[in-house]
Amino acid sequence: MGKNTFYITTPIYYPSDKLHIGHAYTTVAADAIARYHRLCGKDVFFLTGSDEHGQKIERIAKERGKTPKEYVDEIVKGFQHLWQKLDIAYDDFIRTTEERHCRVVQELFRKIYEKGDIYKGEYKGWYCTPCETFFPESRLVDGNCPDCGRPVELLQEESYFFRMSKYADRLLEYIEANPDFIQPTSRRNEMIQFIKSGLEDLCVSRTSFSWGIPVPIDEGHVIYVWFDALTNYLTGIGYLDDPAMFQKYWPADVHLVGKEIVRFHSVIWPIILMAAGLELPKKVYGHGWLLFDSDKMSKSKGNVVDPLVLIDRFGVDAIRYFLLREISFGSDGNFSWEALVGRINADLANDLGNLVHRSSAMMKKYYKGIVPEPGPERPIDAALREEAANTKAKLVSLMEELDLSTALATIWRFIGAVNKYIDEAAPWALAKDESKGDELARVMYNLAESIRWIALFVYPFIPSTAKEIWNRLGLDDELTAHLLGEVRWGEMPSGTAIRPGSPLFPRIEDEDKEPPAKAPAKSTVEIDIEEFARLDIRLARVIAAERVAGADKLLKLKVDLGSEERQIVAGLAQHYKPEELVGKNVALLANLKPTKIRGELSQGMVLAAVADDGRVRALTVDEELPAGSKIR
Ligand code: MSP
């Protein structure tokens, strides 16, 4: 009998900074997989957390004038807030500074030491602190870290070593005998090559700083942060404290990780487990990176996108959908505003939103909003029913392979088929002909039933939208009380009163296409003075201001530039009353190509300062200068 449990983990994130949309990507994917398995009736355990020890965190805390614990407490609160905003339904959040975890790490270390697989020696070599990784000289690239390219530090200290080399052959055999262990296949091949090139024993303790879990047999040492971090996957399911729970969930079904840390999860971690006499996880899945303008997101490049800003602006499900749909799971993918707005408008507002909207409008018109008793099934109706069943079968097999993006594409193909069914069955024509009452009732019933199935299909990916659709169908039980495997066509109860509502996903109009306030400015891109000189920035006196009808963010300004007057459309309506701007001298980018916004000509752009908390103030000068004065 197959196991009915499903244990999935995300990496535990470093509290070295706030999390960006790339981190959110892994966690959203894990959440969708976890919710899918719950919908299939599995007993799921979904673990995430924070990786709080190590030299990097110790240094950052010091720079900020805090103790490491004060510092991580604050950042980790931010992680948990983000997961709540993203609708992440984890079962536990593990912090490596918790006592329950420190005990497990020390116990594991002791166990492996007593077995003779950890021994004392001296480490002399290179260390990349941002990556918390040791490198032999031969692996450095131009003297820098081969993973992140940053400078490495030379270490020479007494250390404990873990006898990884002893297990290399056993690990290789295991990987070869279990083709699903490391996925996707390209990463598996890379790992095989890596192990074949020879494994060195791993340094698993440090003495030159103290922010870590002490080595139990030698208090002057702290345990290497990756040994500490990986062990979270055992702590989280009660390795020491709850043997029954541990028994139930171990080995993990999936460790979901970004591609850059597959090596830690598919080489170091399995060897730790082998040495400790524990089973290996069933799968390590290394997904690709979310890039911004084809570049890896990183704080130092100044191109990170804050997920909270996106959620506030577009709603949580728009962001979840975009991440899971746009990036082919396993490959790298690009984040761009155009792609995000395109997905929201086309897939969510148009395909899904309109389907729900037009169906309920017709239900109201033809049946006063009450789902009718269906008439006999015609071929066109049967085809829709079969399409629903095929979609479900495909969804199941794609989710087993963790192919989230294709799973969504498959669901959307069904949404497209339902929209096409409406066009072809033409209920508006049936409604005009009294003899077609049965046919109309069948079509309208089928629409309600299809939408019910769609709510179940999309639930793992966009759970709050799925629940909203369920509610609008007038269904009073919980969506989550249903199992995907047990859904049957025809179970939508006739006689249910549907509940109409506002559009599920409002279209994002042109003016909103601009990046949100905290746009990912490429702050470190340097320009020279000639490039700056291409900007014609001048002082403009606002002589009139009014709101733009139908656009709550826009003001239409008339400005005096000394030699001419111009009309400007500015996104300032939420920050200034029109009359507050009149008489002000503001900085205007005067040589921006003229454009039409909401049908109004805009001949330039008012420059404004945007604070992190969302406040916006137009740039002005501190003394009255003539309109048209050049700003340089
Ligand atoms: N603390 C370690 C993991 C220990 S697990 C036992 C760590 N933390 S991290 O904060 O750097 O997070 C890394 C993870 O964040 C990646 O493996 C990946 O899952 C996710 N991502 C970070 N940036 C990302 C992108 N730009 N794109 C996709 N995922 C990204 O490493």
Side-chain angles (χ1 to χ4, degrees), residues 12-14 20 22-23 26 51 226 233 258 260-261 287 289-290:
I12 49 172
Y13 302 97
Y14 288 128
H20 59 63
H23 304 107
T26 311
D51 185 359
W226 270 100
Y233 302 132
E260 81 288 5
I261 57 170
H287 67 67
W289 281 341
L290 184 58

Side-chain angles (χ1 to χ4, degrees), residues 511 547-555 573 598:
E511 59 181 292
R547 293 184 180 279
V548 175
D552 53 6
K553 300 202 175 101
L554 300 181
L555 289 180
R598 283 290 174 104

Side-chain angles (χ1 to χ4, degrees), residues 231-248:
T231 305
N232 92 86
Y233 302 132
L234 301 181
T235 313
I237 51 165
Y239 174 62
L240 285 182
D241 295 339
D242 190 344
M245 180 183 185
F246 184 75
Q247 187 78 27
K248 177 169 161 195

Side-chain angles (χ1 to χ4, degrees), residues 265-569:
H265 286 79
S266 58
V267 180
I268 300 179
W269 180 227
I271 294 182
I272 293 176
L273 292 167
M274 282 175 179
L278 292 165
E279 273 184 84
L280 305 200
K282 289 187 209 147
K283 195 191 293 293
V284 173
Y285 191 98
H287 67 67
W289 281 341
L290 184 58
L291 307 174
F292 187 83
D293 285 346
S294 307
D295 211 350
K296 179 146 199 245
M297 268 181 217
S298 79
K299 189 84 177 175
S300 58
K301 288 189 190 129
N303 64 352
V304 293
V305 178
D306 182 346
L308 287 174
V309 174
L310 292 180
I311 296 167
D312 283 346
R313 172 101 170 197
F314 300 108
V316 55
D317 280 351
I319 304 310
R320 288 179 63 114
Y321 176 78
F322 173 79
L323 290 174
L324 300 175
R325 174 71 176 88
E326 183 74 9
I327 297 114
S328 165
F329 207 58
S331 316
D332 288 352
N334 236 318
F335 178 92
S336 78
W337 303 105
E338 293 71 25
L340 173 61
V341 171
R343 286 283 174 203
I344 294 173
N345 284 347
D347 301 6
L348 297 174
N350 239 9
D351 297 346
L352 177 59
N354 268 352
L355 171 65
V356 172
H357 192 70
R358 67 203 274 229
S359 304
S360 60
M362 289 190 288
M363 197 70 89
K364 190 161 170 235
K365 190 162 170 199
Y366 306 138
Y367 294 102
K368 298 198 174 67
I370 310 289
V371 178
E373 200 68 56
E377 199 179 56
R378 297 170 302 160
I380 185 178
D381 310 315
L384 185 72
R385 172 172 50 78
E386 281 157 21
E387 187 77 26
N390 292 340
T391 302
K392 187 173 92 174
K394 272 192 214 143
L395 178 63
V396 168
S397 78
L398 288 163
M399 288 306 284
E400 294 303 323
E401 291 164 27
L402 303 184
D403 190 348
L404 307 182
S405 42
T406 313
L408 276 173
T410 304
I411 300 171
W412 254 255
R413 209 167 305 127
F414 179 61
I415 294 173
V418 184
N419 274 317
K420 196 158 155 240
Y421 171 76
I422 300 182
D423 296 341
E424 288 175 357
W428 45 89
L430 300 174
K432 282 193 192 129
D433 183 343
E434 269 180 27
S435 70
K436 300 271 168 71
D438 271 1
E439 291 172 32
L440 179 63
R442 166 52 72 179
V443 173
M444 292 311 299
Y445 180 87
N446 272 10
L447 286 183
E449 182 60 331
S450 299
I451 292 172
R452 189 177 74 100
W453 280 49
I454 289 167
L456 286 164
F457 290 164
V458 299
Y459 168 74
F461 308 91
I462 47 174
S464 61
T465 302
K467 288 183 187 160
E468 174 62 19
I469 296 175
W470 196 261
N471 174 46
R472 289 192 188 189
L473 283 172
L475 297 166
D476 283 323
D477 58 353
E478 293 280 323
L479 179 154
T480 47
H482 292 254
L483 293 181
L484 190 61
E486 287 175 8
V487 57
R488 298 282 172 271
W489 190 262
E491 280 175 349
M492 175 78 209
S494 300
T496 308
I498 61 151
R499 305 182 182 110
S502 52
L504 288 174
F505 293 96
R507 277 186 72 79
I508 311 294
E509 298 300 344
D510 276 3
E511 59 181 292
D512 292 322
K513 278 192 182 167
E514 291 301 314
K518 267 202 265 176
K522 283 210 147 197
S523 56
T524 54
V525 174
E526 290 177 350
I527 61 168
D528 53 32
I529 193 74
E530 282 78 28
E531 284 173 276
F532 177 70
R534 293 176 57 205
L535 306 178
D536 179 15
I537 308 176
R538 279 186 282 157
L539 213 52
R541 183 172 344 271
V542 181
I543 44 189
E546 61 179 277
R547 293 184 180 279
V548 175
D552 53 6
K553 300 202 175 101
L554 300 181
L555 289 180
K556 185 167 78 176
L557 312 178
K558 187 177 279 176
V559 302
D560 174 11
L561 268 178
S563 52
E564 58 174 315
E565 281 183 10
R566 288 195 189 181
Q567 173 168 300
I568 312 292
V569 178

